[in-house]
Amino acid sequence: MTESNNRIVIVCTANVIRSPFVAGLLSTRMPARLSGHVTIASAGTLARSGMPADPRLVELGRTYGLDLDPHRSQRLDEGVLRAGDTVLCAESNHRRVVLDLRPDLISSVFTLREFSRLLEADHGRASHWAGVVEAASRERLAGRGARDEDDDVVDPVGGPDEAWLAFERQATQAVSTILGVMGTLPAPDPSASSEAPLSSRREYRRSRGAVTVDRRSARRG
């Protein structure tokens, strides 16, 4: 992955609940200095292209300051994915679909919750997004990834209130961790060709501790 390929694609099944919510949170709360350098997209493995977000999600999104009314679903296919993409999937079976389409992305495809756990396990911080993903991949190779059955974000479609609360909690907790790491990244330097050394765990946790997702959060700069 190169510094010029800082695109994150969030993947779920229909692209009307889980992936647009996560994509919306990341897009609106990403540090301003990363805007234009890290971009966010979403898609669904079985999506019917052009469908609006689930009405209940639109309502939930408003409590987080998200306007999901304009969202329209797109189906995940090979044309959606690009070399160097970071792909964060709602479920482990979505990861398998992504890798069937683009096996070259094997080191940068994770489930959302797996990626969050791997970032928590990392001992330092990177100097750019590509370094963050590389560090997560190393943690996974070292055996510190979560088991598949623990990875999935609950699909609340047609479910009771409890399913929606579980989905909201799982998604926002994972996004908070990712935003925390983003908060440690400096403004991108186009001339930089290599990653700076990792800092200590103490510095890393101090730098990311102030960034969380809640229903009152505004765009973080």
Side-chain angles (χ1 to χ4, degrees):
M1 183 182 302
T2 66
E3 186 72 8
S4 61
N5 289 326
N6 292 336
R7 195 173 75 124
I8 304 172
V9 182
I10 314 299
V11 173
C12 69
T13 302
N15 192 214
V16 295
I17 299 179
R18 290 173 291 179
S19 56
F21 183 61
V22 171
L25 290 174
L26 287 173
S27 296
T28 58
R29 288 160 169 80
M30 184 189 305
R33 63 184 176 278
L34 299 183
S35 297
H37 297 277
V38 178
T39 59
I40 312 293
S42 69
T45 57
L46 297 176
R48 294 170 54 196
S49 295
M51 299 296 293
D54 185 288
R56 187 160 179 177
L57 179 71
V58 174
E59 180 181 354
L60 174 63
R62 290 194 184 105
T63 69
Y64 286 87
L66 304 179
D67 179 10
L68 296 175
D69 278 315
H71 173 78
R72 293 297 179 267
S73 61
Q74 69 169 337
R75 190 180 182 96
L76 181 74
D77 57 32
E78 188 174 356
V80 171
L81 300 171
R82 305 172 188 171
D85 280 349
T86 304
V87 187
L88 303 180
C89 304
E91 300 177 13
S92 55
N93 67 313
H94 299 144
R95 182 175 186 269
R96 290 189 284 270
V97 173
V98 171
L99 291 177
D100 282 344
L101 291 170
R102 292 294 300 262
D104 58 302
L105 297 179
I106 188 168
S107 64
S108 59
V109 182
F110 308 83
T111 67
L112 178 70
R113 297 179 72 195
E114 173 194 29
F115 190 65
S116 170
R117 291 187 187 98
L118 291 168
L119 296 186
E120 290 280 6
D122 185 31
H123 292 188
R125 67 177 179 182
S127 63
H128 49 69
W129 180 252
V132 170
V133 180
E134 289 161 6
S137 183
R138 288 195 300 269
E139 291 293 322
R140 180 165 59 188
L141 288 173
R144 289 184 276 269
R147 295 172 299 173
D148 285 351
E149 60 266 30
D150 297 328
D151 279 348
D152 295 354
V153 173
V154 170
D155 185 354
V157 63
D161 289 347
E162 290 77 8
W164 280 86
L165 288 171
F167 149 66
E168 180 184 355
R169 181 181 66 254
Q170 292 170 353
T172 55
Q173 286 176 348
V175 169
S176 288
T177 298
I178 296 168
L179 289 172
V181 173
M182 285 182 167
T184 71
L185 299 177
D189 179 1
S191 66
S193 59
S194 60
E195 183 180 346
L198 296 176
S199 67
S200 67
R201 178 188 291 271
R202 181 179 300 173
E203 180 184 359
Y204 167 72
R205 293 197 179 278
R206 185 190 313 122
S207 299
R208 62 176 291 271
V211 185
T212 59
V213 171
D214 60 43
R215 291 173 180 259
R216 297 172 301 279
S217 293
R219 184 180 179 88
R220 305 301 177 100

